[in-house]
Amino acid sequence: MNPIVKGFFDPATWTVTYVVYEKPGSECAIIDSVLDYDPKSGRTRTHSADQVIAFVKQHNLRVQWILETHAHADHLSAAPYLRKQLGGKIAIGANITQVQGVFKKIFNLEPDFQLDGSQFDALIHEGVPFSIGGLVGEALYVPGHTPACMAYKIGNAVFVGDTLFMPDVGTARCDFPGGDAHALYRSVRKLLSLPPETRMFMCHDYPPEGRDVQFETTVAAQRAHNIHIHDGISEDAFVTMRTQRDATLDMPTLILPSVQVNIRAGHMPPTEDNGVSYLKIPVNML
């Protein structure tokens, strides 16, 4: 069966959250949710997540999964808030443990922070199917942007996370800890080996001037037109381009708060003795 897909674009972080379901009244999955965060004040809001909640309730959907394609570096996950309001299991690819290991050292996290992914309700492995009501999902391991990235193929749709962007934007950066441009090339070619009519849904869109926001394309369109990795681009040429381009990019505005929260499945760090939770800023570390 092929899913119905509803996308919610968050203009503050250029992120798209998806609700994926079979029909009104069925089970659904929520992919890559957003918790609004103001870096100036450290305050959070739930405006973006509340739009998703309203849609789920309007269509009488039952949340089975709250999926993350990876530990995002550009927005905080709203997964715990969504689970509290709607139910469902928070899940991510099993290799999140590698990312946790890297960032526990960078942020010098509390000694009892576990490196086994136990902060999530479930860890998803490549090749192990999962159900969304009558729909069947399949996880595809697509490292490169991070060592733990997963794409989720559900019927004729695949949710690619940050691996790919729209054809006129290109591909994900690979300069975060654990990133690898060679791995990204192979991951993208893996995705582009899917049937040409496969619908591809992006986690972000950064539209060039004059184009409206878009976040759905096809394998055929990516193979023909992706500016970084269309058919005919060799791995060496891609790695050279990606490495040179990444050297010019600023770090994402929300990378420091986002990673600390997202490796905890969207939970804030433990509160201190004054009842307040704090996020760290490592100085001269990244």
Side-chain angles (χ1 to χ4, degrees), residues 100 104 110-119 263:
Q100 290 177 326
K104 180 173 183 177
E110 64 276 10
D112 59 355
F113 178 83
Q114 299 300 307
L115 302 179
D116 56 4
S118 57
Q119 299 83 358
I263 62 173

PDB file of all heavy atoms in Angstrom, residues 100 104 110-119 263:
ATOM      1  N   GLN A 100      26.014   9.249  20.014  1.00  0.00           N
ATOM      2  CA  GLN A 100      26.013   9.507  21.457  1.00  0.00           C
ATOM      3  C   GLN A 100      27.420   9.436  22.032  1.00  0.00           C
ATOM      4  O   GLN A 100      27.801  10.254  22.877  1.00  0.00           O
ATOM      5  CB  GLN A 100      25.104   8.501  22.164  1.00  0.00           C
ATOM      6  CG  GLN A 100      23.626   8.700  21.888  1.00  0.00           C
ATOM      7  CD  GLN A 100      22.770   7.637  22.539  1.00  0.00           C
ATOM      8  OE1 GLN A 100      23.179   6.479  22.649  1.00  0.00           O
ATOM      9  NE2 GLN A 100      21.578   8.006  22.981  1.00  0.00           N
ATOM     10  N   LYS A 104      28.917  12.698  23.823  1.00  0.00           N
ATOM     11  CA  LYS A 104      29.092  12.632  25.276  1.00  0.00           C
ATOM     12  C   LYS A 104      30.450  13.207  25.655  1.00  0.00           C
ATOM     13  O   LYS A 104      30.577  13.929  26.655  1.00  0.00           O
ATOM     14  CB  LYS A 104      28.970  11.199  25.786  1.00  0.00           C
ATOM     15  CG  LYS A 104      29.144  11.110  27.309  1.00  0.00           C
ATOM     16  CD  LYS A 104      28.856   9.731  27.876  1.00  0.00           C
ATOM     17  CE  LYS A 104      28.964   9.733  29.395  1.00  0.00           C
ATOM     18  NZ  LYS A 104      28.615   8.436  30.001  1.00  0.00           N
ATOM     19  N   GLU A 110      26.836  14.016  31.760  1.00  0.00           N
ATOM     20  CA  GLU A 110      26.826  13.376  33.078  1.00  0.00           C
ATOM     21  C   GLU A 110      27.286  11.921  32.966  1.00  0.00           C
ATOM     22  O   GLU A 110      27.016  11.243  31.960  1.00  0.00           O
ATOM     23  CB  GLU A 110      25.430  13.442  33.699  1.00  0.00           C
ATOM     24  CG  GLU A 110      24.334  12.687  32.965  1.00  0.00           C
ATOM     25  CD  GLU A 110      23.681  13.451  31.821  1.00  0.00           C
ATOM     26  OE1 GLU A 110      24.198  14.526  31.454  1.00  0.00           O
ATOM     27  OE2 GLU A 110      22.666  12.955  31.299  1.00  0.00           O
ATOM     28  N   PRO A 111      28.001  11.397  33.970  1.00  0.00           N
ATOM     29  CA  PRO A 111      28.565  10.044  33.884  1.00  0.00           C
ATOM     30  C   PRO A 111      27.531   8.962  33.596  1.00  0.00           C
ATOM     31  O   PRO A 111      27.847   7.964  32.940  1.00  0.00           O
ATOM     32  CB  PRO A 111      29.211   9.840  35.263  1.00  0.00           C
ATOM     33  CG  PRO A 111      29.520  11.221  35.730  1.00  0.00           C
ATOM     34  CD  PRO A 111      28.420  12.089  35.207  1.00  0.00           C
ATOM     35  N   ASP A 112      26.297   9.137  34.060  1.00  0.00           N
ATOM     36  CA  ASP A 112      25.309   8.074  33.871  1.00  0.00           C
ATOM     37  C   ASP A 112      24.517   8.218  32.571  1.00  0.00           C
ATOM     38  O   ASP A 112      23.535   7.494  32.360  1.00  0.00           O
ATOM     39  CB  ASP A 112      24.357   7.977  35.066  1.00  0.00           C
ATOM     40  CG  ASP A 112      23.598   9.262  35.334  1.00  0.00           C
ATOM     41  OD1 ASP A 112      23.876  10.273  34.659  1.00  0.00           O
ATOM     42  OD2 ASP A 112      22.714   9.260  36.215  1.00  0.00           O
ATOM     43  N   PHE A 113      24.946   9.130  31.685  1.00  0.00           N
ATOM     44  CA  PHE A 113      24.320   9.187  30.359  1.00  0.00           C
ATOM     45  C   PHE A 113      24.701   7.922  29.600  1.00  0.00           C
ATOM     46  O   PHE A 113      25.875   7.646  29.372  1.00  0.00           O
ATOM     47  CB  PHE A 113      24.776  10.423  29.580  1.00  0.00           C
ATOM     48  CG  PHE A 113      24.197  10.492  28.180  1.00  0.00           C
ATOM     49  CD1 PHE A 113      22.932  11.013  27.980  1.00  0.00           C
ATOM     50  CD2 PHE A 113      24.907  10.011  27.086  1.00  0.00           C
ATOM     51  CE1 PHE A 113      22.387  11.076  26.696  1.00  0.00           C
ATOM     52  CE2 PHE A 113      24.373  10.061  25.812  1.00  0.00           C
ATOM     53  CZ  PHE A 113      23.104  10.589  25.619  1.00  0.00           C
ATOM     54  N   GLN A 114      23.710   7.139  29.208  1.00  0.00           N
ATOM     55  CA  GLN A 114      23.946   5.836  28.595  1.00  0.00           C
ATOM     56  C   GLN A 114      24.244   5.960  27.106  1.00  0.00           C
ATOM     57  O   GLN A 114      23.646   6.790  26.412  1.00  0.00           O
ATOM     58  CB  GLN A 114      22.747   4.919  28.821  1.00  0.00           C
ATOM     59  CG  GLN A 114      22.444   4.652  30.278  1.00  0.00           C
ATOM     60  CD  GLN A 114      23.613   3.980  30.988  1.00  0.00           C
ATOM     61  OE1 GLN A 114      24.114   2.952  30.539  1.00  0.00           O
ATOM     62  NE2 GLN A 114      24.040   4.557  32.098  1.00  0.00           N
ATOM     63  N   LEU A 115      25.137   5.129  26.617  1.00  0.00           N
ATOM     64  CA  LEU A 115      25.538   5.141  25.203  1.00  0.00           C
ATOM     65  C   LEU A 115      24.944   3.955  24.450  1.00  0.00           C
ATOM     66  O   LEU A 115      25.538   3.437  23.510  1.00  0.00           O
ATOM     67  CB  LEU A 115      27.070   5.110  25.096  1.00  0.00           C
ATOM     68  CG  LEU A 115      27.805   6.248  25.803  1.00  0.00           C
ATOM     69  CD1 LEU A 115      29.307   6.089  25.656  1.00  0.00           C
ATOM     70  CD2 LEU A 115      27.352   7.610  25.256  1.00  0.00           C
ATOM     71  N   ASP A 116      23.740   3.548  24.852  1.00  0.00           N
ATOM     72  CA  ASP A 116      23.115   2.373  24.255  1.00  0.00           C
ATOM     73  C   ASP A 116      21.798   2.678  23.548  1.00  0.00           C
ATOM     74  O   ASP A 116      21.071   1.766  23.165  1.00  0.00           O
ATOM     75  CB  ASP A 116      22.870   1.303  25.325  1.00  0.00           C
ATOM     76  CG  ASP A 116      22.025   1.817  26.487  1.00  0.00           C
ATOM     77  OD1 ASP A 116      21.555   2.976  26.432  1.00  0.00           O
ATOM     78  OD2 ASP A 116      21.824   1.051  27.456  1.00  0.00           O
ATOM     79  N   GLY A 117      21.473   3.964  23.392  1.00  0.00           N
ATOM     80  CA  GLY A 117      20.229   4.331  22.736  1.00  0.00           C
ATOM     81  C   GLY A 117      18.988   4.118  23.575  1.00  0.00           C
ATOM     82  O   GLY A 117      17.862   4.254  23.076  1.00  0.00           O
ATOM     83  N   SER A 118      19.162   3.822  24.859  1.00  0.00           N
ATOM     84  CA  SER A 118      18.014   3.503  25.710  1.00  0.00           C
ATOM     85  C   SER A 118      17.134   4.719  25.997  1.00  0.00           C
ATOM     86  O   SER A 118      16.040   4.563  26.555  1.00  0.00           O
ATOM     87  CB  SER A 118      18.493   2.887  27.021  1.00  0.00           C
ATOM     88  OG  SER A 118      19.388   3.754  27.709  1.00  0.00           O
ATOM     89  N   GLN A 119      17.561   5.903  25.614  1.00  0.00           N
ATOM     90  CA  GLN A 119      16.717   7.089  25.766  1.00  0.00           C
ATOM     91  C   GLN A 119      15.514   7.023  24.821  1.00  0.00           C
ATOM     92  O   GLN A 119      14.511   7.703  25.023  1.00  0.00           O
ATOM     93  CB  GLN A 119      17.528   8.355  25.475  1.00  0.00           C
ATOM     94  CG  GLN A 119      18.704   8.572  26.403  1.00  0.00           C
ATOM     95  CD  GLN A 119      19.956   7.792  26.001  1.00  0.00           C
ATOM     96  OE1 GLN A 119      19.955   7.037  25.020  1.00  0.00           O
ATOM     97  NE2 GLN A 119      21.039   7.982  26.732  1.00  0.00           N
ATOM     98  N   ILE A 263      20.172  13.713  21.008  1.00  0.00           N
ATOM     99  CA  ILE A 263      20.740  12.400  21.356  1.00  0.00           C
ATOM    100  C   ILE A 263      20.077  11.825  22.606  1.00  0.00           C
ATOM    101  O   ILE A 263      20.292  10.669  22.952  1.00  0.00           O
ATOM    102  CB  ILE A 263      22.282  12.463  21.551  1.00  0.00           C
ATOM    103  CG1 ILE A 263      22.667  13.384  22.696  1.00  0.00           C
ATOM    104  CG2 ILE A 263      22.971  12.850  20.251  1.00  0.00           C
ATOM    105  CD1 ILE A 263      24.148  13.351  23.037  1.00  0.00           C
TER     106      ILE A 263
END
